[in-house]
Amino acid sequence: MPTALITGVTGQDGSYLAEFLLSRGYRVIGMVRRTSTVNFHRVEHIQDKIEVVQGDLLDQYSLVHLLEEYKPDEVYNLAAQSFVPTSWMQPVFTGEVTGLGVTRMLDAVRIVNPKIRFYQASSSEMFGKVVEVPQRETTPFYPRSPYGVAKVYGHWITVNYRESYDLHATSGILFNHESPRRGLEFVTRKITYHVAKIKLGLADQLALGNLDSRRDWGYAGDYVRAMWLMLQQDRPEDFVIATGETWSVEDFVRTAFEYVDLDWHDYVVQDPRFMRPAEVDLLVGDPSKAGKQLGWEPHVSFSELVQMMIDADIDLIKSGKTPM
């Protein structure tokens, strides 16, 4: 039975990856930070099947200890301060966790067992002010937020350790991927949750920032499969994971309201408080390398994703449960 360590197991990607690895017969070790309010909602349905352990990307000793004790074959580093607006409010903390945290984990792998296969969650936000469309593995980075800058550091330190210490270390440059498990602070989930509330008569307005920003949106459940495929390759390489399609925030809004037979113009207002200091206008990935070398392709379409999220939010609101 192979063993995998997932940092950030209680997040959207961590929960889907844990499910996927369990289905493939893995022993799954999920790392969480020791806080007074760890949220296990996303993994509560599999909590008895995974081993939840404490560790911290700010504390190298804790990472070395985990690798020595649980002896994973694969490490998936998904933990990060991952909300772009928060990175403007907490740029140093974002750099410590999202950037230097990668170095601490890589160095722990180097010290404990260089044979461990390592996956780093890179991000399309690294492309930022894009210099070519679509973006591929060779596209230069131009990050437009402290989060994007920290992710660029995490990406390049992974490349550096791979080349310097012959580690099987891979970065997946994932474009936006969503699901019903997305946090409410992210614009896609904010849209679907408020559309569900409006449809149920519990709200009458949705305030958003820039409606013109364009993103390449896929389904998180599809994307974690790509993470696993990367670590099964004989040779570590970096891959863009995306749908190859681009949609604006307005497109997302329109699709969501149309699904519940409402006109979005009647409910959406723009609020300058939700504008970024430096905006990323157009992100669309070229996943052809992943298709060719990994045999990966997305299964869930854009409209199916939006509908899935709205259905889940309607059910959630009707159940009276607290949203993730």
Side-chain angles (χ1 to χ4, degrees):
M1 178 186 292
T3 298
L5 171 67
I6 304 173
T7 72
V9 72
T10 58
Q12 170 189 257
D13 291 6
S15 65
Y16 280 110
L17 179 60
E19 284 179 346
F20 177 80
L21 294 178
L22 286 171
S23 74
R24 301 201 66 91
Y26 276 69
R27 177 193 183 197
V28 176
I29 313 298
M31 191 187 92
V32 299
R33 293 183 68 200
R34 173 70 180 96
T35 71
S36 58
T37 55
V38 179
N39 185 341
F40 290 104
H41 288 335
R42 294 182 181 90
V43 293
E44 61 185 0
H45 62 297
I46 54 171
Q47 204 167 339
D48 61 338
K49 299 177 183 176
I50 65 176
E51 298 170 61
V52 178
V53 298
Q54 292 178 10
D56 197 324
L57 290 178
L58 300 180
D59 178 9
Q60 175 131 16
Y61 176 77
S62 72
L63 305 179
V64 169
H65 174 73
L66 286 182
L67 297 185
E68 288 178 337
E69 181 172 356
Y70 294 98
K71 298 177 173 53
D73 302 288
E74 299 171 358
V75 170
Y76 295 86
N77 185 44
L78 310 186
Q81 191 303 99
S82 59
F83 189 45
V84 174
T86 296
S87 76
W88 292 102
M89 302 299 294
Q90 300 180 17
V92 175
F93 175 72
T94 299
E96 282 283 354
V97 178
T98 308
L100 286 175
V102 185
T103 311
R104 295 187 186 100
M105 181 59 89
L106 280 165
D107 216 42
V109 168
R110 178 187 67 82
I111 292 167
V112 176
N113 179 10
K115 299 296 184 184
I116 294 172
R117 297 193 171 197
F118 176 85
Y119 171 84
Q120 166 59 15
S122 288
S123 167
S124 60
E125 288 284 335
M126 300 189 305
F127 295 120
K129 188 175 181 180
V130 299
V131 298
E132 67 174 352
V133 179
Q135 294 88 54
R136 49 184 64 89
E137 291 80 7
T138 55
T139 301
F141 300 134
Y142 196 144
R144 297 274 280 173
S145 68
Y147 169 77
V149 172
K151 279 293 186 182
V152 169
Y153 177 92
H155 178 88
W156 279 116
I157 200 67
T158 301
V159 173
N160 184 259
Y161 267 65
R162 175 171 74 215
E163 296 177 349
S164 301
Y165 300 112
D166 196 28
L167 299 183
H168 194 296
T170 293
S171 284
I173 307 172
L174 271 57
F175 279 66
N176 294 65
H177 46 288
E178 317 297 324
S179 76
R181 300 178 194 172
R182 192 50 131 164
L184 279 174
E185 68 272 22
F186 290 86
V187 67
T188 50
R189 182 73 193 291
K190 179 180 180 180
I191 291 168
T192 62
Y193 186 71
H194 279 79
V195 167
K197 288 183 71 175
I198 290 169
K199 181 62 177 178
L200 295 173
L202 301 175
D204 57 12
Q205 191 177 87
L206 169 58
L208 296 170
N210 184 4
L211 299 180
D212 297 324
S213 291
R214 302 185 68 85
R215 295 290 185 272
D216 184 325
W217 275 302
Y219 171 51
D222 285 337
Y223 284 39
V224 300
R225 180 165 36 88
M227 299 176 187
W228 176 78
L229 285 168
M230 288 180 215
L231 293 199
Q232 310 318 304
Q233 305 304 300
D234 293 335
R235 187 178 62 167
E237 294 183 53
D238 303 325
F239 292 88
V240 163
I241 304 300
T243 68
E245 298 178 352
T246 184
W247 305 85
S248 68
V249 175
E250 183 177 314
D251 291 331
F252 199 108
V253 169
R254 181 187 303 107
T255 302
F257 275 96
E258 285 179 353
Y259 181 57
V260 295
D261 298 317
L262 296 173
D263 184 343
W264 69 273
H265 295 92
D266 297 333
Y267 304 96
V268 174
V269 296
Q270 282 192 281
D271 189 328
R273 291 179 301 164
F274 301 123
M275 300 289 189
R276 293 184 185 182
E279 186 56 78
V280 175
D281 296 317
L282 173 61
L283 292 175
V284 55
D286 175 3
S288 57
K289 180 182 175 183
K292 194 176 302 180
Q293 293 184 218
L294 303 179
W296 179 87
E297 61 181 18
H299 295 159
V300 176
S301 71
F302 174 73
S303 60
E304 289 170 339
L305 172 65
V306 176
Q307 293 171 17
M308 173 199 305
M309 292 175 68
I310 292 175
D311 288 341
D313 276 327
I314 289 175
D315 290 342
L316 178 70
I317 294 167
K318 286 180 176 178
S319 73
K321 292 181 180 179
T322 304
M324 295 179 191

